[in-house]
Amino acid sequence: MARVIFQNVTKLYGGNPTPAVADLSMEVEDQEFLVLVGPSGCGKSTAMRMVAGLEEISGGQIIIGDRVVNDLPPKDRDVAMVFQSYALYPHMSVYDNLAYPLKLRKVPKTERDQRVREAARTLDIEQFLDRKPKALSGGQRQRVALGRAIVRNADVFLMDEPLSNLDAKLRVQTRAELIKLHERVNTTTIYVTHDQVEAMTMGDRIAVMSLGILQQLDTPQNLYDHPANKFVAGFIGSPSMNFVEVALTAQDGKIHATTEGFAVLAPAHKEKALAQYIGQTITMGVRPEHLVEVSRLGGHVKGTTIPVTVDIVEQLGNENFVYLLNRPNGRRGGTEEIKLTEYEAESMSRTGSTLLTARMAPDVRLIRGDRIEVGAAPENLHFFDPQTEAAIR
Ligand code: ADP
Ligand code: MG
């Protein structure tokens, strides 16, 4: 068992002036399951490969347990890595595939046998030990690949998108198995994925990266509730958080966020932080699930609602995604007038003109062209600095 510490770790690939990983500092605690998540190309695999020793470190230090491993060859690092493309030896049985890493390390035969059988039991692949990989399903093969990491009794598991070759259903199932496996073996694990749902469901903590830079390291719930910046806010959650450019104005001692179509009241607990932005345009964020049709809000949100026109309703059965267009010229009621204004008709014919996406219960019956008002509780509004994109809080 071991912790893994990144101290100002930087990776520059030859010829490229922009680091693939820039000044990364974080600590993965002993026995923790930490997920490294971010879009393709943000430096996740590079970070993993530096821990494994497969890639030289350009700057900073990586510590595993109590040892600085910068100059330690991969075989002396006690880490086991599972990749997306798990190469099993096709001509070897499952048993031999599992035993091979131990053979390489000159583990005596009886101990080898014991460890292979133990790993097979842990992963529930005992019944396949005599088969060749081609006689296994994708999920079973992936378990054998995991088994090859487990038999080594490594201090640290590094998993780089290990489930991405599996179909959606098997991925969800294997995800759950991996979590159970971690509860049993408790090996410190760094798990890489580009999928924020996978990250949210698996991680004790999640490190969000973008462009080689660590954006936030936190628990899943804190990332969702208190994103540190606009990138994290938009990356975590599906559909994504809505962003609207708003002008901050002060009226009667209260701060309002206004744009052409609406004015909403800023939450009281953020007034102090927002005060320095009065007179400026900043970004407001609200999650689709926090947008409520006003008739359901209970009437206490006067002046904080947004008049919109329903553009598209996507029905998922258990919920609907409702795409809403801005209605700049006002608060005409929903039923009195069905004909669309020219603005609405034009907005609807354009793509990408959606103002907001809402996530609503299927019993909220809405159709294209409906004019409604939506609102959000003030505590569910997020605000971001227009320059740094850091959360204002
Ligand atoms: P991720 O795993 O998050 O998709 P990578 O760590 O693979 O990202 O890549 C990070 C950046 O480093 C990318 O811009 C990629 O093109 C670059 N990169 C990765 N490997 C190499 C390499 N061997 N040589 C040069 N550039 C590389
Ligand atoms: Mg990668």
Side-chain angles (χ1 to χ4, degrees), residues 31 54 172 315 351:
Q31 305 193 6
L54 304 173
V172 171
Q315 301 187 320
T351 52

Side-chain angles (χ1 to χ4, degrees), residues 132-184:
K132 296 272 167 62
K134 68 172 188 308
L136 300 177
S137 71
Q140 290 160 349
R141 269 181 237 161
Q142 185 55 278
R143 271 189 268 167
V144 177
L146 282 170
R148 290 210 300 187
I150 290 177
V151 287
R152 291 187 37 205
N153 293 338
D155 286 341
V156 178
F157 286 162
L158 305 175
M159 302 190 184
D160 193 349
E161 315 232 11
L163 307 185
S164 40
N165 282 347
L166 306 180
D167 65 44
K169 191 173 168 211
L170 196 55
R171 205 155 58 220
V172 171
Q173 194 185 325
T174 315
R175 194 162 90 190
E177 281 173 11
L178 269 178
I179 296 167
K180 276 192 271 173
L181 175 69
H182 180 256
E183 279 167 9
R184 249 173 297 149

Side-chain angles (χ1 to χ4, degrees), residues 54-370:
L54 304 173
E55 207 70 71
E56 214 172 292
I57 301 167
S58 313
Q61 285 191 326
I62 293 180
I63 298 163
I64 302 177
D66 298 316
R67 287 190 301 183
V68 175
V69 297
N70 286 36
D71 300 319
L72 218 55
K75 66 174 175 46
D76 298 331
R77 292 197 186 192
D78 255 337
V79 303
M81 194 149 170
V82 185
F83 298 93
Q84 172 182 347
S85 48
Y86 40 90
L88 300 178
Y89 300 106
H91 58 283
M92 286 186 195
S93 66
V94 168
Y95 183 99
D96 289 333
N97 265 285
L98 291 175
Y100 193 65
L102 300 178
K103 222 169 178 170
L104 280 183
R105 283 173 179 74
K106 310 220 172 2
V107 175
K109 191 151 190 246
T110 41
E111 189 188 337
R112 217 154 67 203
D113 184 65
Q114 193 195 332
R115 274 159 70 172
V116 166
R117 291 188 187 281
E118 197 180 300
R121 204 157 42 242
T122 304
L123 291 163
D124 201 17
I125 49 174
E126 285 168 293
Q127 64 274 40
F128 308 129
L129 283 174
D130 296 329
R131 287 199 202 168
K132 296 272 167 62
K134 68 172 188 308
L136 300 177
S137 71
Q140 290 160 349
R141 269 181 237 161
Q142 185 55 278
R143 271 189 268 167
V144 177
L146 282 170
R148 290 210 300 187
I150 290 177
V151 287
R152 291 187 37 205
N153 293 338
D155 286 341
V156 178
F157 286 162
L158 305 175
M159 302 190 184
D160 193 349
E161 315 232 11
L163 307 185
S164 40
N165 282 347
L166 306 180
D167 65 44
K169 191 173 168 211
L170 196 55
R171 205 155 58 220
V172 171
Q173 194 185 325
T174 315
R175 194 162 90 190
E177 281 173 11
L178 269 178
I179 296 167
K180 276 192 271 173
L181 175 69
H182 180 256
E183 279 167 9
R184 249 173 297 149
V185 299
N186 267 321
T187 306
T188 310
T189 303
I190 310 180
Y191 183 97
V192 164
T193 177
H194 62 271
D195 177 349
Q196 59 94 19
V197 175
E198 210 166 282
M200 291 294 276
T201 51
M202 296 183 81
D204 293 329
R205 290 189 303 158
I206 300 172
V208 183
M209 278 180 80
S210 168
L211 302 172
I213 298 167
L214 177 64
Q215 305 290 317
Q216 187 170 3
L217 172 57
D218 221 324
T219 60
Q221 196 65 53
N222 277 342
L223 285 180
Y224 178 87
D225 291 338
H226 309 290
N229 57 39
K230 193 178 163 194
F231 178 84
V232 176
F235 190 77
I236 300 289
S238 175
S240 285
M241 184 184 281
N242 297 287
F243 296 114
V244 187
E245 300 300 304
V246 293
L248 280 197
T249 56
Q251 263 175 42
D252 315 326
K254 297 245 180 273
I255 297 179
H256 295 258
T258 65
T259 183
E260 204 184 342
F262 65 87
V264 300
L265 206 57
H269 70 283
K270 284 182 183 163
E271 269 182 359
K272 215 168 159 187
L274 286 169
Q276 56 175 309
Y277 293 93
I278 289 171
Q280 292 186 42
T281 297
I282 66 170
T283 305
M284 183 176 86
V286 59
R287 294 198 182 279
E289 52 273 42
H290 291 149
L291 279 177
V292 188
E293 210 222 325
V294 165
S295 61
R296 302 188 166 231
L297 264 181
H300 59 276
V301 287
K302 265 226 156 349
T304 70
T305 61
I306 305 172
V308 289
T309 304
V310 174
D311 186 6
I312 294 166
V313 180
E314 282 179 359
Q315 301 187 320
L316 300 180
N318 61 333
E319 61 184 3
N320 292 343
F321 296 160
V322 186
Y323 299 91
L324 303 163
L325 301 169
N326 199 359
R327 183 143 51 89
N329 53 354
R331 299 181 172 269
R332 278 162 300 140
T335 46
E336 70 196 34
E337 196 186 337
I338 290 150
K339 231 176 120 221
L340 302 179
T341 64
E342 252 173 60
Y343 172 84
E344 286 165 338
E346 197 210 307
S347 296
M348 284 184 173
S349 66
R350 261 180 296 153
T351 52
S353 59
T354 302
L355 169 72
L356 297 165
T357 304
R359 186 173 184 165
M360 293 180 172
D363 62 334
V364 183
R365 303 266 171 219
L366 294 172
I367 55 165
R368 188 176 166 85
D370 278 352

